[in-house]
Amino acid sequence: MRVFLLFLCSLLAACQTLPPPPAWQSPEGRDRPELGEIRDLRTGERLTPEQLVERLAAQPRVLVGEQHDNPDHHALQLWLLQALESRREQGSLLLEMLEPEQQAKVDAVRRGPMPSDLPQALAWQKNWDWALYGPIVRHALTQPYPLLAANLDRSEIKRIYKERPVLHGKLSTAESVREPLLEQIRDSHCGMLPESQMPAMLAVQQQRDRRMAERLLAAPAPAMLFAGAFHVRRDLGVPLHLADLGKAEGNAVLILSEVGKSVEQGAADYVWYTTALAPIDHCANLKRQMAPAR
């Protein structure tokens, strides 16, 4: 009888209608026809949020790529996390924004009462906007599953920069992967990095991806990773490292992308198009900051 009741409860939970995704916050692209569209990039099929959640819930590992400064991406991440929790028992949540040195602080907060100054208790890094990440972190800390660091420590990054470790794996070390990553690093630094620094920067990028893959495999399943979109790309990032580590299957990749920034087939399994932030010329700002004083 007890087994039947458990089965009935799980069946009813699976049939529950999910609440609608949160309202859009970012100002741009509200008139774009693809706004809110969810696509299965393997088939071209358009999905409802409920269909997306159902497909993600069947996978041991779910990788969600974000644009770090877009509030809609973080609101959708929290919605997805809660939606998956309603479909099956969540095993763990991993964040690019947490470093290993913070893990003991995260675990201490989970064991005790919620501190009044949570960012301070977690030694939260200021380069990650707490206003955006705070709701996700607060929610995860109140759940029975662990919240886990997925990044490298700064001391590790310094060591990698000074002495590049050998990266093992056929897929992640291919030139077809390294060259686009190098180009992305150049673009993200506005072409202002000396070429002599590029190999070290690439090593740091790829060691970050390898660490995220290793942490995903070590985490209780089903595991979910929130990271920058480039990190989770199937053709360039963590999924290649998972494959090199023997786990090519069981990984679902969703990229949250602003309208006007298309995600190509092969980069992800699914894309969800959101509103966009007003464009900012970060390179112009950086060049002004680095210009010699007159």
Side-chain angles (χ1 to χ4, degrees), residues 91-113:
S92 55
L93 174 65
L94 298 89
L95 297 181
E96 176 196 351
M97 305 80 207
L98 286 173
E99 301 174 2
E101 289 181 352
Q102 295 171 273
Q103 191 63 59
K105 298 180 184 296
V106 171
D107 296 341
V109 169
R110 288 187 68 237
R111 290 192 298 267

Side-chain angles (χ1 to χ4, degrees), residues 92-219:
S92 55
L93 174 65
L94 298 89
L95 297 181
E96 176 196 351
M97 305 80 207
L98 286 173
E99 301 174 2
E101 289 181 352
Q102 295 171 273
Q103 191 63 59
K105 298 180 184 296
V106 171
D107 296 341
V109 169
R110 288 187 68 237
R111 290 192 298 267
M114 190 70 70
S116 57
D117 191 342
L118 183 54
Q120 182 180 34
L122 299 175
W124 188 260
Q125 302 292 329
K126 291 184 178 180
N127 53 306
W128 303 113
D129 188 345
W130 179 253
L132 300 178
Y133 291 98
I136 295 171
V137 173
R138 284 184 181 278
H139 173 78
L141 288 170
T142 63
Q143 303 306 306
Y145 54 80
L147 174 64
L148 301 173
N151 210 333
L152 301 166
D153 278 329
R154 296 187 181 187
S155 59
E156 293 178 290
I157 292 172
K158 289 180 180 179
R159 287 198 299 271
I160 294 167
Y161 196 87
K162 289 179 180 178
E163 187 174 348
R164 302 189 298 277
V166 176
L167 184 64
H168 297 285
K170 184 177 180 180
L171 297 173
S172 57
T173 57
E175 277 303 303
S176 59
V177 173
R178 293 168 55 84
E179 281 305 317
L181 286 177
L182 283 168
E183 192 60 34
Q184 188 268 337
I185 293 168
R186 289 188 187 96
D187 289 346
S188 65
H189 290 83
C190 306
M192 301 179 72
L193 278 180
E195 279 299 309
S196 60
Q197 293 186 27
M198 296 303 293
M201 295 293 288
L202 176 62
V204 170
Q205 172 82 6
Q206 292 208 287
Q207 289 297 327
R208 275 198 173 108
D209 291 343
R210 178 58 58 94
R211 173 62 58 81
M212 291 183 202
E214 292 170 342
R215 296 296 291 147
L216 270 170
L217 294 180

